[in-house]
Amino acid sequence: MVKYQCPVCGFPELREAPYSDGYGSFEICQCCGFQFGVSDNDCNVTFDEWKRVWVARGMPWESSDYLKPAGWNPKEQLKIAGLWDFET
């Protein structure tokens, strides 16, 4: 099964591509809670805005339906994905 990466937080386990032919998948990232095609298109929130709020909230695991992976480190996840653009 192919997995996809969240363009907001770098979570590498999305079940669907966030976008296909310009349309959001409507999948909600288990990690940061961004919903592709809704958080952005309907609520006008950019990836960067969502990421900054999520980081400011302490990068909590957002899904109540899925357990966070063992050893999950959100800061490292962002760094590996090339999405960590903060001072520390």
Side-chain angles (χ1 to χ4, degrees):
M1 177 181 221
V2 175
K3 300 288 183 165
Y4 300 91
Q5 180 175 293
C6 176
V8 176
C9 70
F11 183 63
E13 299 286 325
L14 295 179
R15 295 178 304 265
E16 299 179 41
Y19 299 91
S20 180
D21 296 326
Y23 296 98
S25 66
F26 298 104
E27 181 174 359
I28 299 171
C29 178
Q30 301 165 25
C31 179
C32 71
F34 193 91
Q35 186 174 15
F36 306 99
V38 175
S39 300
D40 47 2
N41 296 340
D42 294 347
C43 300
N44 296 316
V45 178
T46 67
F47 294 162
D48 192 54
E49 289 169 336
W50 192 277
K51 178 180 67 173
R52 290 189 180 284
V53 169
W54 180 67
V55 168
R57 292 179 42 237
M59 298 175 279
W61 182 259
E62 293 293 340
S63 178
S64 59
D65 295 331
Y66 297 93
L67 295 176
K68 64 183 169 184
W72 176 69
N73 182 322
K75 187 174 179 179
E76 285 304 309
Q77 175 179 286
L78 284 164
K79 286 181 178 181
I80 289 167
L83 297 171
W84 185 260
D85 56 357
F86 302 94
E87 289 295 318
T88 58

